[in-house]
Amino acid sequence: MLIKNGKIFTMAGQAFECGSILVKDGKIVEIGENIEVSDDEVIDAKGGYVIPGMIDAHTHIGGEEENMGFEGHDINEMTDPVTPHLRALDGVNPVDGAFRKAVKAGVTSVLTGPGSANVIGGQFIAMKTQGNCIDDMILKEPVAMKIAFGENPKRVYNAKGKAPMTRMATAALLRQTLTETKNYIGKKKKAEEKGEFFEINLKYEALVPVIEGKIPLKAHAHRADDILTALRIAKEFNVPITLDHCTEGHLIVDKIKEAGVPALVGPTMTFSTKIELTNKSFRTPIELIRAGVKVAIITDHPVIQIEHLPLCAAYAMKEGLTFEEALSTITINAAEIAGISDRVGSLEPGKDADIVILDGSPFEVATTTLYTIVDGKVVYSKCE
């Protein structure tokens, strides 16, 4: 496939006013101003915007299904506050109608997984939005371990009359489980050295990659004090972490910058339904970015429908983000934070050919998607 005559934004430090992209075997082979090939499928972008497939780095797509109610709600196992062994892989329905909307909007990759009812909710996955078999759509599994602070775990378990009913208990349960995981790792190693039988515990096994620094804690935290508790615990156990939602991040920019962790900001384009959202603002991304914090903008689908991801970034532009900064929050930044930038997030030779062609800026409400291409195949065309 050859895409030609496009205004290409590679998100890799280079842009082309009228460029071409050559794709072979699902990968990007070459990007330049004049690429001549024969016997290939040719798409004429006709001056349209050509961008990397967009990435939503925090959703519950496929697990909180459209038009389903309880029957399609598979993101919150509200029976135990500590469920690290739950896998999004087992709860995401790839034929959820929201995936078709994502593809049409140009969102080609997502992170999806458990909700925020539990202190430790389970494993998130990174996946493509096109396909009908979840196993074939995976980019990285697991990609992160979901944890939650603040009002949600308190509300769920207060109704059940059990811990955590306070923020103190939420932190304590997380510390206890991480400590037990470290002890588990030590005991398992000793048993293996002695050649002795060791009983596997799936809860602790799921947390081993976190303790080993292979995947981050994905921390649901809105209020500034909850963000600081998340950072405090991550530092205590020397584990990686991302700050998801980060609603009051603009109030403690210096602390987030000092910690050197990324922020996934959103959902901001919503009504403030609870106390911890009081200070929600589209100023948050720009203040964090100006301080040097890596930021992705998220929808938390279905809180905001996933097709509105570029609109969320557009609202941040109203507060001062540049075009490139806004686009980075839903492409390369999201990919780098998720640890999948070797495959997606920018248009570069060797990366997956996930490409979106638009008839205008992705941040204009009236802009239409002309083509969505995933792994080198046209999966949506306005002409069809």
Side-chain angles (χ1 to χ4, degrees), residues 121-142:
Q123 300 173 354
F124 256 63
I125 56 175
M127 62 180 289
K128 299 290 181 79
T129 53
Q130 173 65 26
N132 58 17
C133 174
I134 187 73
D135 303 85
D136 298 333
M137 299 162 73
I138 293 296
L139 278 162
K140 186 176 181 180
E141 195 276 328

Side-chain angles (χ1 to χ4, degrees), residues 216-268:
L217 294 171
K218 192 172 183 64
H220 166 110
H222 287 283
R223 222 168 68 176
D225 57 335
D226 291 324
I227 295 170
L228 292 172
T229 298
L231 293 176
R232 186 181 311 118
I233 293 175
K235 185 177 180 180
E236 288 173 17
F237 288 87
N238 191 30
V239 295
I241 193 169
T242 65
L243 300 175
D244 291 49
H245 307 311
C246 202
T247 301
E248 291 190 348
H250 58 284
L251 302 181
I252 49 169
V253 171
D254 56 335
K255 296 298 182 184
I256 296 173
K257 169 62 175 174
E258 181 182 341
V261 303
L264 293 84
V265 180
T268 313

Side-chain angles (χ1 to χ4, degrees), residues 14 67 115 122 126 143 187 197 218 244 273 298 316 323 331 380:
Q14 193 172 18
N67 310 316
V143 70
K187 292 175 183 177
F197 170 78
K218 192 172 183 64
D244 291 49
T273 56
I298 61 174
F323 178 94
T331 55
Y380 170 79

Side-chain angles (χ1 to χ4, degrees), residues 39-311:
D39 301 325
D40 278 354
E41 176 185 359
V42 176
I43 295 177
D44 190 344
K46 299 179 180 178
Y49 283 56
V50 181
I51 65 171
M54 290 179 277
I55 303 168
D56 195 332
H58 184 121
T59 76
H60 307 288
I61 189 171
E64 182 76 39
E65 297 180 56
E66 291 193 336
N67 310 316
M68 292 287 284
F70 172 78
E71 290 77 10
H73 180 96
D74 287 300
I75 62 171
N76 282 314
E77 181 62 39
M78 296 181 285
T79 56
D80 180 349
V82 179
T83 56
H85 54 317
L86 301 186
R87 302 172 70 191
L89 187 70
D90 300 321
V92 171
N93 181 3
V95 297
D96 173 16
F99 282 109
R100 293 193 299 273
K101 294 178 181 178
V103 168
K104 182 178 179 181
V107 181
T108 57
S109 299
V110 295
L111 271 63
T112 186
S116 52
N118 294 346
V119 177
I120 306 179
Q123 300 173 354
F124 256 63
I125 56 175
M127 62 180 289
K128 299 290 181 79
T129 53
Q130 173 65 26
N132 58 17
C133 174
I134 187 73
D135 303 85
D136 298 333
M137 299 162 73
I138 293 296
L139 278 162
K140 186 176 181 180
E141 195 276 328
V143 70
M145 177 62 68
K146 180 66 178 294
I147 61 173
F149 296 88
E151 294 177 25
N152 288 12
K154 277 165 51 76
R155 183 187 309 109
V156 170
Y157 289 96
N158 178 64
K160 300 176 185 297
K162 61 182 291 187
M165 296 171 65
T166 65
R167 282 178 163 83
M168 293 181 294
T170 295
L173 279 171
L174 179 57
R175 283 192 178 95
Q176 177 183 338
T177 307
L178 292 175
T179 300
E180 289 171 353
T181 302
K182 293 181 73 173
N183 293 340
Y184 172 85
I185 292 171
K187 292 175 183 177
K188 182 179 181 181
K189 183 178 180 181
K190 286 183 179 180
E192 290 173 347
E193 289 173 350
K194 295 180 179 180
E196 299 175 347
F197 170 78
F198 184 81
E199 186 174 351
I200 296 296
N201 183 305
L202 292 181
K203 285 190 173 183
Y204 298 139
E205 285 289 331
L207 284 164
V208 169
V210 174
I211 297 297
E212 292 180 344
K214 295 178 180 177
I215 62 172
L217 294 171
K218 192 172 183 64
H220 166 110
H222 287 283
R223 222 168 68 176
D225 57 335
D226 291 324
I227 295 170
L228 292 172
T229 298
L231 293 176
R232 186 181 311 118
I233 293 175
K235 185 177 180 180
E236 288 173 17
F237 288 87
N238 191 30
V239 295
I241 193 169
T242 65
L243 300 175
D244 291 49
H245 307 311
C246 202
T247 301
E248 291 190 348
H250 58 284
L251 302 181
I252 49 169
V253 171
D254 56 335
K255 296 298 182 184
I256 296 173
K257 169 62 175 174
E258 181 182 341
V261 303
L264 293 84
V265 180
T268 313
M269 200 174 68
T270 57
F271 180 67
S272 295
T273 56
K274 50 188 177 179
I275 294 171
E276 61 187 9
L277 301 181
T278 300
N279 292 309
K280 182 161 58 69
S281 169
F282 278 105
R283 285 290 307 171
T284 306
I286 188 170
E287 294 198 21
L288 290 170
I289 288 171
R290 292 292 180 266
V293 176
K294 182 162 290 185
V295 171
I297 288 176
I298 61 174
T299 65
D300 198 18
H301 175 92
V303 180
I304 298 172
Q305 290 178 281
I306 194 164
E307 60 265 35
H308 299 318
L309 178 63
L311 185 57

Side-chain angles (χ1 to χ4, degrees), residues 340-354:
I340 54 176
S341 61
D342 59 323
R343 291 186 58 184
V344 296
S346 62
L347 301 177
E348 298 180 78
K351 287 196 175 185
D352 294 2
D354 292 0

